[in-house]
Amino acid sequence: MNSLRLKLCASLLALAACAPMPASQAVPPAVAEWPALRSPTAPDAAMERRIAAIVAGMTLEQKIGQMTQPDVRYITPDEVRQYYIGSVLNGGGAWPSMNKHATVDDWSDLADRFARAALSTDMPVRIPLLWGTDAIHGHNNVSGATLFPHNIGLGAANDPALIERIGRATARQVRATGITWAFAPTLAIGQNRRWGRTYESWSSDPALVARYAAAMVHGLQGDISGEGDVLATAKHYLGDGGTFDGVDQGENRDTREQLIQQEAVGYYAALNAGVQTVMVSYSSWNDVSAGRDYGKMHGNRELITDVLKHRLGFDGLVVSDWNGIEQVPGCARDRCAQAINAGMDIIMVPEDWRAFIANTLADVHEGRIAESRIDDAVTRILRVKMRSGLFDHPASASAFTGRVAALNASALAREAVRKSVVLLKNDNHALPLARGRKILVVGASADSLSNQTGGWSLTWQGTENTNADFATGSTLLGALRQALGEANVTWSADGSGVNVADFDTVVAVLGETPYAEFNGDVRFPKPVQHSALYPADLAALQAVSGKGVPVVSVLYSGRPAYANDLINLSDAFVAAFLPGTEGAGLADVLTGGRHDFTGRLSFAWPGSACSTGEGPGDVVQFARGYGLSYAADRRVGQLPLPATPAACEISAR
């Protein structure tokens, strides 16, 4: 065993799956640099014979149907039956009958209709359907489902056991609606705060991501085949968190060694935990140091087939991202022989699935795709379906025990909020808030569940929501009124129309507005400074600061953003990230008593507006691992205020 693999196997959670490769086995030199893993699931000879018999009896049309994944908005149950469709998904903002307030019964009825359709084809063997959904902080498309803090906050908790419990609760939420597959967890190592998906990353520390990856896979999948288990998805393979300048779907320029030792670490842990599906990244890989541009990951055979499936021993299924194949040069959203030949097993073609089926049939008939590759893809799909128990016990939401109650995980989410918020400053003991005192709350985010929950909440971007759209949870304003008494808490969105001197403490709730992939990017050379991006927050804070009354600021954000000006205007400052629906958890720690701040930064906090990472040249104000508590306090004082340029001059990475 070479020294690199010894180092990996020793340090990455002591992965038991690492094993020496026989000297006689021919492995391409580039692939041999990766650790040799093997699936933790022992081969089942009887299952493999059963799968082989099914595949042998299928027509090419039936096989390609299994590989095709439409969105539920663009296909009917009868079309699932007619075209032998193997899986469907609901994208962000897709609900039964396009009703944002669809009930659990609405969801489960639609799921049962799709499931019955898949089992009513004219095939001699009935193949069950998979339905996938982006349940990335709870079952976030479903009205009434408790939403947990986003990953960036959960990383600050440094509590794998908590992550596994959240996975278990999320799995029950998903299965209660008849859905069997969660497109989670995200295993990105967030490296540039410009990236709009930074909040989907647990940490910039690969070791923490690895610990959490295993915990979340165990939580979501359980033993895979139980009533409350769902298939987990390790995503987005590979390097999505390390793109140059943090551009979503952009170019990762890491060396092969960096991919192996940093970007892929979470995948080793997820694979060792038995994850059954992997989703490929929109991003591309350009190994600049080696002078080789591999292009889009969706067309990268070396990393999908040679590394993931062969070297890392993954025997589950690989799924594309939403229309991801169209980004491969020479491909379109309804046709991409290169992606299938690279090792893609299920192709997510939400709208253009009919054309995709026809085009893929033609590609096979005309020799651009070997039918053996199609057979391998279908074998993997059937293997995952059999392991999940669907062949023997098809999913039926109507039979799920306690369907409505399963959506409610408020106590667990409230605990997660308490553990995931970080106290950056608490000068003059401005916190905890004293009961029986008059509190002025300012900031539009104080009474906004949209800002509190962020992207991937009811809708794709988390926008177009009002508080009334959330059938559960509470804003921080509501939670403070509940904890301190409604008569003691006054709210002014912008700090106007009130006399600050009439109050004992001011709580300023500042926050980004929601965003998800791509739309959340802060593109170079724009500075990443919260007050520059959200000047109304600065104005509200300036309206109440320096009036002789302690000011406690709470910041909702999907990234650690430069905020020294805001921190200097505050006596206490809390990085709350995106805590989800349970504002009561934040009120718990703000009011003290039984609950202290235990969260510690899982990303470094920047000390200048052009510092967007943790590399050479970046100014770090608070290091990863930093966080105060009531028990261990220290004075922060005034922080430096380097000038914020109109545009950053140097691109960090």
Side-chain angles (χ1 to χ4, degrees), residues 437-441 477 480-482 484-491 503:
R437 303 293 181 89
K438 295 294 183 181
I439 307 296
L440 171 63
V441 178
L477 176 64
L480 287 175
R481 284 174 168 165
Q482 179 69 28
L484 302 174
E486 189 160 350
N488 293 324
V489 179
T490 299
W491 178 49
F503 299 90

Side-chain angles (χ1 to χ4, degrees), residues 194-216:
R194 295 185 179 280
W195 189 36
R197 303 187 82 157
T198 295
Y199 65 83
E200 292 188 55
S201 175
W202 283 309
S203 179
S204 57
D205 177 11
L208 177 60
V209 171
R211 292 194 296 273
Y212 273 26
M216 183 57 82

Side-chain angles (χ1 to χ4, degrees), residues 459-485:
T459 63
W460 171 38
Q461 294 287 324
T463 53
E464 302 174 342
N465 294 322
T466 67
N467 286 351
D469 289 320
F470 294 86
T472 188
S474 66
T475 64
L476 178 55
L477 176 64
L480 287 175
R481 284 174 168 165
Q482 179 69 28
L484 302 174

